[in-house]
């Protein structure tokens, strides 16, 4: 798969190595070419502009902070159709860092739906937003030998690529429905973020095993 990545931050650094190891060709696009090239060099990818990444990928990961979302999509040419016909995976969390509350767009739309609105023809899928970057760095992405379950929501056309990228990391996809379900996945992530801010271990946030299982592991 040819993967374009919009954003050269922590999520990109955590996710891309597993995809490179699986044999995918990755081009990372960032707003600062020096930082982007450094990161790309560390993870075995190529570097370019945001538009380069949008044009390169048949699958495109959007991995930017909420504040940069609109500017990034504009710089990538999304409103001009650079993402048309492509799978676009949104790992973002629409969170107001002033108080860690959820941010929604007009009509209650999620960040993923906002990406779809601004990217005509793109097949947008929400994925990877539930877990901290430290979790995505694990190889495989598993807890106590159990593959992490990764909820996805979005366009049917985009789900095969999303499933592949999840299983390539050693995790398992869980289809939660169409893109409207991204509203729930984004709300869920706010709970996760608040737990992490309270000092919880990133891995424990996803341990939904029974008390018996937890006790037996101690
Ligand atoms: N980190 C996590 O544990 C985690 C987990 C799940 C989901 N997420 C979500 O994944 C997305 C990426 O997170 P991250 O941790 O990778 O973020 P990050 O490292 O802080 O930055 C990601 C990218 O966003 C760009 N960016 C930041 N502010 C911008 C602005 N105002 N205008 C344009 N670009 C801007 C950065 O550009 P520069 O490098 O040029 O600043 C960088 O390329 C976010 O939506 C986040 O909520 C993060």
């Amino acid at each position: 798969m040819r993967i374009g990545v919009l954003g050269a931050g922590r999520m990109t650094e955590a996710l891309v190595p597993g995809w490179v190891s699986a044999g995918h060709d990755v081009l990372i696009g960032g707003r600062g070419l020096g930082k982007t090239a450094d990161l790309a060099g560390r993870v075995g990818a190529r570097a370019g502009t945001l538009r380069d990444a949008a044009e390169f990928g048949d699958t495109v990961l959007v991995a930017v902070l909420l504040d940069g979302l609109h500017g990034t999509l504009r710089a990538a040419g999304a409103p001009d159709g650079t993402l048309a016909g492509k799978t676009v995976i949104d790992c973002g969390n629409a969170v107001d860092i002033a108080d860690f509350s959820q941010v929604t767009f007009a009509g209650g739309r999620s960040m993923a739906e906002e990406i779809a609105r601004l990217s005509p023809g793109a097949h947008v899928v929400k994925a990877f937003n539930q877990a901290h970057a430290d979790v995505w760095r694990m190889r495989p992405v598993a807890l106590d030998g159990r593959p992490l379950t990764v909820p996805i929501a979005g366009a049917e056309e985009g789900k095969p690529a999303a499933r592949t990228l999840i299983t390539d990391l050693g995790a398992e996809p869980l289809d939660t429905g169409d893109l409207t379900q991204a509203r729930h996945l984004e709300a869920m992530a706010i709970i996760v973020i608040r737990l992490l801010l309270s000092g919880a271990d990133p891995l424990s946030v996803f341990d939904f095993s029974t008390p018996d299982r937890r006790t037996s592991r101690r």
Side-chain angles (χ1 to χ4, degrees), residues 49-141:
T49 64
L50 292 162
R51 192 167 185 119
D52 291 337
E55 289 175 345
F56 174 83
D58 40 56
T59 296
V60 175
L61 174 75
V62 181
V64 290
L65 290 186
L66 177 64
D67 279 358
L69 182 67
H70 288 152
T72 296
L73 291 174
R74 269 197 306 276
D80 312 326
T82 51
L83 300 177
K86 302 183 176 199
T87 296
V88 173
I89 297 178
D90 165 35
C91 71
N93 277 315
V95 59
D96 182 343
I97 52 167
D99 60 1
F100 296 98
S101 59
Q102 187 180 8
V103 175
T104 57
F105 295 84
R109 281 194 314 275
S110 63
M111 187 169 177
E113 290 171 289
E114 182 70 354
I115 291 172
R117 186 181 75 80
L118 293 168
S119 310
H123 308 308
V124 179
V125 178
K126 187 94 203 172
F128 303 110
N129 68 311
Q130 302 291 317
H132 191 273
D134 288 348
V135 173
W136 300 120
R137 276 192 198 97
M138 293 192 298
R139 298 292 173 266
V141 176

Side-chain angles (χ1 to χ4, degrees), residues 145-169:
R146 292 183 301 157
L148 186 75
T149 299
V150 181
I152 63 172
E156 289 305 319
E157 300 91 326
K159 286 178 182 170
R163 287 192 188 98
T164 297
L165 294 181
I166 290 165
T167 53
D168 282 346
L169 300 180

Side-chain angles (χ1 to χ4, degrees), residues 174-193:
L174 173 69
D175 190 346
T176 66
D178 67 16
L179 199 60
T180 61
Q181 299 309 305
R183 298 178 187 201
H184 305 303
L185 296 186
E186 292 183 16
M188 243 174 93
I190 299 296
I191 304 292
V192 171
I193 290 167

